[in-house]
Amino acid sequence: MDHALEVAGDALLEKPSVARMYDYFLGGYHNFAVDRLAAQQVIGIYPDVMLMARTNRAFLRRAVTTLLEQGVEQFLDLGSGIPTVGSVHEVAQQLERDARVVYVDIDPVAVQHSEAILQGQPDVAVVQADIREPEYILGHAAVTRLIDFSKPVGVLLVAVIHFVDDAAARQVVDAFRDAIAPGSYLVLSHVTYEGPPPEAVEQAQRIYANSTNPIIFRSHAHIESFLGGFEIVEPGVVYVPQWRPQGPNMLGLAQPERTAFFAGVGRKL
Ligand code: SAM
């Protein structure tokens, strides 16, 4: 069944959606001609964008697998996009693990697609919210129904806090760190200007400046500082393909700096 068509009204088909373009970069099918055209234009200008999206989502899968293996059974995925192509509940289901998952995204298009995909799954919910409003998210009925904050939670901030300014990013991380129990994890990935050619960073910034999501590239030190107050698990904050790679031929591993993405996982003590 084509969930994309099921949820698309005329308004949703007029403009390319950043969330559906990201789905296209990932090889998903929740996108339309208008999204594919825009995505192909981006690829023409900046071919590494597909590598970035795919290696980032692959990191998310490896990190979620690691947390499930550590016994974490509840996840709050902040800035989740469209939850296909190996998102949290799919990883859990593939591993035949019980997991409760709340997806949170600010984008109404991503949320509508998520609702259609997640219909009939009582342990998975989606909330439309801005991560800069942690109180609203933490008090939301879907969150309090599915997440028990007295037990370890996996909080995901994967490819999202580069869309918020320095002060807000710090506040978001602090608020969720304070809300979770010891033994919980923060999974983080973030774009960086360290590694890729400066002109590639400029091009990417220019492309996103015209979208609803201007992007902020940060340094390794700045990104690592978001994990302050957590014990950073091995191998530390590294380019996304270098985070516990599954074999030497993994996508992006030969030239990890081309991904322009750092990733790390912290455990709350
Ligand atoms: N986390 C997913 C992943 O890594 O595969 C999706 C990442 S996608 C690049 C970024 C998502 O963050 C988009 O769906 C966008 O709508 C969402 N987003 C951006 N700013 C946000 C905010 N302030 N609050 C909540 N979601 C936000």
Side-chain angles (χ1 to χ4, degrees):
M1 186 201 308
D2 190 339
H3 291 293
L5 285 172
E6 202 178 287
V7 299
D10 288 346
L12 289 184
L13 288 170
E14 279 167 14
K15 265 190 172 187
S17 143
V18 171
R20 290 193 308 244
M21 285 167 65
Y22 185 74
D23 180 69
Y24 177 76
F25 295 142
L26 289 173
Y29 59 89
H30 293 270
N31 49 70
F32 302 107
V34 66
D35 309 305
R36 292 190 282 275
L37 192 64
Q40 281 157 7
Q41 284 168 352
V42 174
I43 294 165
I45 298 166
Y46 187 55
D48 277 348
V49 70
M50 285 180 81
L51 179 75
M52 290 176 75
R54 289 172 187 219
T55 54
N56 172 69
R57 186 58 79 92
F59 157 71
L60 183 152
R61 287 196 291 269
R62 297 197 302 283
V64 168
T65 301
T66 301
L67 268 52
L68 286 162
E69 286 166 358
Q70 296 300 315
V72 176
E73 292 185 331
Q74 39 182 12
F75 294 86
L76 191 53
D77 187 353
L78 303 167
S80 46
I82 298 175
T84 61
V85 202
S87 57
V88 181
H89 75 286
E90 289 183 346
V91 173
Q93 285 166 1
Q94 274 162 14
L95 296 176
E96 298 185 2
R97 304 281 174 117
D98 289 330
R100 297 178 304 288
V101 185
V102 181
Y103 292 109
V104 178
D105 205 283
I106 198 171
D107 178 1
V109 174
V111 171
Q112 284 184 53
H113 283 277
S114 304
E115 281 167 349
I117 292 165
L118 301 172
Q119 261 175 22
Q121 306 216 38
D123 288 342
V124 188
V126 58
V127 171
Q128 187 180 348
D130 187 333
I131 58 165
R132 289 166 294 189
E133 295 182 352
E135 296 294 315
Y136 173 77
I137 294 168
L138 291 164
H140 193 283
V143 174
T144 55
R145 177 173 69 83
L146 289 173
I147 311 281
D148 175 353
F149 283 94
S150 69
K151 301 217 170 95
V153 188
V155 173
L156 276 61
L157 283 169
V158 179
V160 65
I161 59 169
H162 46 236
F163 293 123
V164 301
D165 67 33
D166 290 358
R170 185 72 264 163
Q171 282 165 8
V172 168
V173 175
D174 288 349
F176 286 101
R177 187 193 58 224
D178 290 349
I180 54 182
S184 295
Y185 290 86
L186 176 64
V187 177
L188 180 74
S189 76
H190 194 300
V191 292
T192 182
Y193 56 75
E194 288 186 27
E199 57 277 14
V201 173
E202 266 168 46
Q203 272 175 347
Q205 257 162 343
R206 221 175 307 128
I207 292 165
Y208 278 90
N210 294 325
S211 83
T212 47
N213 293 108
I215 197 162
I216 304 167
F217 288 70
R218 295 191 171 104
S219 67
H220 182 274
H222 196 159
I223 295 165
E224 193 174 55
S225 76
F226 291 125
L227 289 169
F230 290 90
E231 175 191 50
I232 300 178
V233 307
E234 288 297 318
V237 176
V238 292
Y239 290 112
V240 277
Q242 295 172 319
W243 199 91
R244 304 194 183 191
Q246 290 164 324
N249 297 323
M250 226 188 51
L251 182 68
L253 202 50
Q255 293 173 293
E257 66 287 348
R258 274 181 54 200
T259 63
F261 251 109
F262 281 126
V265 175
R267 183 172 184 274
K268 184 168 170 176
L269 295 173

